Amino acid sequence: MNGALVEMRGVTKRFSGVTANKAVDFSVEAGEVHALLGENGAGKSTLMNILYGLYRPDEGEIFVNGAPVEFRSPADAITAGIGMVHQHFMLVQTQTVWENMILGMKDIPFFLPGGEIQKKIALISERYGLLIDPRATIEQLSVGEQQRVAILRMLYRGARVLILDEPTSVLTPQEASRLFSTIHRMTEEGHGVVFISHKMNEVLNETKRVTVLRRGETVKTVATADTDASSLAEMMMGQKAPLNLHRPKAAPGERVFEVRDIHASGDRGPEAVSGLSLFLRSGEILGVAGVAGNGQRELCECLVGLRGATSGTISVRNKNMTNASPRRFINQNVHYIPADRSGVGMATGMDVRDNSILRSYWSKPISTGTLGELIDWRAAEIRAARIVEDFNISAPSPNTPVRNLSGGNLQKLLMGRELSDSQTGDAPVIIVMHPTWGLDVAATLYVRERILERRENGAAILLISEDLDELLAMSDRLAVLFEGKFMGILEHPEDEPIEKIGLMMAGTMAEAIVNADIEAAS
Ligand SMILES: Nc1ncnc2c1ncn2[C@@H]1O[C@H](COP(=O)(O)OP(=O)(O)OP(=O)(O)O)[C@@H](O)[C@H]1O
Ligand SMILES: [Mg+2]
């Protein structure tokens, strides 16, 4: 083949009920970043899981350097020079970086040559700008660092083609630009990179070719320079991109949620939340901006009973809820959509139906019997079917384990459950982190509209995101978090210069910022 490191021809993959890939052609050349684009459930991850030897295709062929290959496992793919980094990195949390490098390798000597391995790691990390301490254990590392380890692991094992499945959706903007310099180093050295992303600007700026999939089929492969965002969106959806978000003016009501001066420790010792106060009113969205790792997760966990506060108070509808159990928060109609979808948000081994009722199986109409000791499975099915329909989720059946859903469809199911369970009683409080992570263009708009609809219906919403565009489009007020403290809460964020928000994100208090600072930052 002329220059193709790998080529897939006519690849078809069926699961019971769905054809995830249908006669797909795809190739990666040396020195290129090739984007794989498509709506949620289009078949991107499946196609790459085939190339990585995790699934066997039902039809079609794979060539490496022009020679046909058949992979029975990822070990075969790695031997052929193909590596993949999944969204969930598949690292062993309790072991060190260098131990993770060699896990699963054949021919590991009985006494590990730790020194040699570490030397080789140092060489590769230097060469590709993947700085990491080889002796750290995985659980001590941030998500961005863990991703670096996962990439390093593939390079260590000789990958020439590296598949990155939505690598930037979990990264801060700084980490993302760092990842792109690593990718550049790789392509300069003649590697090929497959890049899956829903972020159009990344695809346009960082790749050489784009292949668009729609419902499992190839729409087209084009040179990135010859296309633009709207034609790509049209190729993905088969129609013009949806219109922009419309946000009516807020009409906030009474305070339903109030937090005063809370402090909480982080997982690794030091304080993560250092004296935060906020209130949420019915019918408004308070956005929280900030670089990940500044206490966002810990704050949310305090607000829903998953983490104890060391001091300070939390009240919901004037009821003291400081350090109450998660169940009590749920009974107060507090909803939580965490960033960690599959760990906290979903039970991935359970099916769509059961996941749909996870937060309501103890209340009517799901629970039944004289003491509420039984589950009405018919009601559960109805609930699940409604969420699937409302959120346009493509799931083979209600009995599909959710781990078999595509990334975006899993996310939509979680959003659907948390946003539609709150039909009855008091105005809900919704704490949501990164609502549109991993969602395609249409689903992103849809989810944002649903959140605004909840706001119209009186919900009090806390929205944590790293996407400033999203925050500015959605928030009525905007708090900026830095090292566990608010640098200020802006009453009219849309009127503020973006540079001011940037300065606050970097740790300057709002009231300390003067015009000269804003000009200097712009
Ligand atoms: N192991 C499996 N068993 C059954 N169905 C599966 C399995 N893996 C994937 N599917 C189905 O194949 C289809 C394509 O899924 P895939 O994960 O490839 O989509 P994707 O393009 O990566 O989407 P996303 O952007 O949401 O991650 C989906 O309908 C999904 O439910
Ligand atoms: Mg996917």
Side-chain angles (χ1 to χ4, degrees):
M1 293 322 331
N2 43 352
L5 293 173
V6 297
E7 187 175 358
M8 305 178 84
R9 266 192 238 158
V11 168
T12 295
K13 178 71 189 173
R14 295 180 206 92
F15 295 108
S16 57
V18 273
T19 304
N21 293 139
K22 198 167 163 193
V24 175
D25 297 329
F26 183 75
S27 69
V28 185
E29 282 165 14
E32 82 164 338
V33 183
H34 192 148
L36 193 52
L37 207 60
E39 294 191 289
N40 295 132
K44 305 177 295 292
S45 298
T46 302
L47 188 70
M48 291 302 107
N49 283 332
I50 292 172
L51 188 55
Y52 187 51
L54 271 170
Y55 295 147
R56 304 189 74 170
D58 296 319
E59 285 155 36
E61 293 168 296
I62 301 175
F63 301 85
V64 173
N65 296 319
V69 288
E70 249 178 69
F71 298 149
R72 271 156 304 153
S73 71
D76 289 349
I78 291 172
T79 309
I82 297 167
M84 178 160 177
V85 175
H86 288 85
Q87 246 185 297
H88 299 282
F89 306 129
M90 305 185 178
L91 300 170
V92 178
Q93 292 289 323
T94 52
Q95 294 197 322
T96 62
V97 169
W98 71 267
E99 286 164 335
N100 267 277
M101 292 299 134
I102 52 170
L103 278 174
M105 271 171 89
K106 293 174 188 155
D107 313 322
I108 303 180
F110 186 73
F111 292 105
L112 287 178
E116 263 171 60
I117 297 171
Q118 291 185 29
K119 226 180 271 165
K120 188 170 164 195
I121 295 173
L123 260 170
I124 302 174
S125 50
E126 176 79 18
R127 186 143 158 207
Y128 297 99
L130 291 160
L131 296 184
I132 207 86
D133 173 7
R135 282 163 311 226
T137 52
I138 301 300
E139 60 190 356
Q140 294 175 324
L141 304 177
S142 72
V143 175
E145 289 168 325
Q146 293 191 24
Q147 185 181 68
R148 258 176 261 159
V149 176
I151 295 174
L152 201 59
R153 176 162 185 261
M154 290 298 138
L155 293 170
Y156 183 93
R157 302 179 67 176
R160 290 274 291 152
V161 173
L162 188 68
I163 304 160
L164 301 172
D165 193 349
E166 295 190 42
T168 58
S169 63
V170 292
L171 297 185
T172 64
Q174 289 85 340
E175 284 172 328
S177 69
R178 211 159 159 173
L179 171 67
F180 290 123
S181 15
T182 297
I183 291 178
H184 290 155
R185 290 292 302 136
M186 290 195 281
T187 50
E188 275 165 20
E189 305 249 335
H191 290 75
V193 175
V194 181
F195 179 72
I196 301 180
S197 172
H198 290 288
K199 297 180 187 169
M200 214 59 104
N201 57 337
E202 293 178 347
V203 169
L204 290 170
N205 294 334
E206 309 290 343
T207 72
K208 197 163 157 206
R209 288 194 294 165
V210 188
T211 291
V212 179
L213 293 183
R214 184 162 77 230
R215 295 189 188 171
E217 295 184 66
T218 323
V219 179
K220 215 177 189 181
T221 298
V222 291
T224 311
D226 297 341
T227 188
D228 58 31
S230 69
S231 21
L232 288 174
E234 202 172 329
M235 281 187 235
M236 282 195 293
M237 294 183 278
Q239 59 189 38
K240 290 243 180 286
L243 296 169
N244 288 332
L245 190 69
H246 168 66
R247 181 164 64 99
K249 219 174 142 40
E254 61 193 270
R255 293 187 181 192
V256 287
F257 199 94
E258 186 127 24
V259 177
R260 288 221 187 98
D261 198 26
I262 52 163
H263 289 254
S265 335
D267 291 338
R268 286 186 238 149
E271 198 173 71
V273 174
S274 303
L276 292 178
S277 299
L278 62 92
F279 60 82
L280 302 175
R281 285 176 299 201
S282 159
E284 75 166 352
I285 298 177
L286 173 64
V288 177
V291 175
N294 274 288
Q296 287 90 335
R297 182 171 55 88
E298 292 85 352
L299 169 65
C300 291
E301 288 173 356
C302 288
L303 302 190
V304 298
L306 288 168
R307 178 180 298 264
T310 46
S311 67
T313 60
I314 299 171
S315 59
V316 183
R317 283 174 265 274
N318 295 323
K319 200 171 280 162
N320 182 10
M321 294 286 285
T322 316
N323 293 334
S325 68
R327 177 74 80 98
R328 278 192 60 210
F329 276 95
I330 291 177
N331 289 337
Q332 281 295 318
N333 215 354
V334 175
H335 297 245
Y336 178 39
I337 300 161
D340 178 9
R341 318 296 185 207
S342 40
V344 182
M346 288 278 173
T348 51
M350 281 162 59
D351 64 17
V352 171
R353 180 194 66 185
D354 294 358
N355 271 282
S356 300
I357 59 161
L358 267 190
R359 60 165 285 134
S360 53
Y361 62 86
W362 60 84
S363 51
K364 281 184 184 320
I366 308 297
S367 91
T368 167
T370 31
L371 300 167
E373 73 284 24
L374 300 172
I375 288 186
D376 180 346
W377 292 112
R378 185 72 201 121
E381 263 158 37
I382 292 170
R383 166 76 50 89
R386 204 186 60 218
I387 296 174
V388 165
E389 189 179 320
D390 282 357
F391 279 76
N392 193 17
I393 296 165
S394 75
S397 92
N399 310 112
T400 308
V402 299
R403 74 171 111 76
N404 289 348
L405 296 185
S406 83
N409 281 300
L410 182 79
Q411 162 69 349
K412 287 198 267 181
L413 180 63
L414 175 64
M415 294 298 297
R417 183 185 77 205
E418 295 301 318
L419 293 176
S420 51
D421 253 350
S422 47
Q423 245 73 338
T424 51
D426 299 318
V429 174
I430 302 171
I431 315 271
V432 51
M433 286 188 85
H434 314 299
T436 57
W437 260 7
L439 294 189
D440 63 42
V441 183
T444 295
L445 183 67
Y446 190 81
V447 161
R448 288 179 183 165
E449 279 172 346
R450 292 293 77 71
I451 294 174
L452 286 174
E453 194 176 274
R454 290 271 142 236
R455 160 185 176 267
E456 288 298 283
N457 295 338
I461 299 168
L462 187 73
L463 168 70
I464 293 96
S465 175
E466 274 165 53
D467 181 342
L468 258 188
D469 294 332
E470 172 160 274
L471 286 166
L472 290 172
M474 301 281 291
S475 314
D476 301 307
R477 294 182 295 135
L478 183 66
V480 183
L481 188 62
F482 177 77
E483 293 188 347
K485 297 190 186 68
F486 285 143
M487 296 294 107
I489 298 182
L490 304 170
E491 291 294 326
H492 301 284
E494 63 277 11
D495 299 338
E496 301 280 359
I498 201 96
E499 292 80 11
K500 180 170 173 184
I501 300 174
L503 287 166
M504 291 166 74
M505 285 169 68
T508 317
M509 298 292 285
E511 56 268 20
I513 298 173
V514 292
N515 282 340
D517 296 334
I518 294 172
E519 274 157 34
S522 67

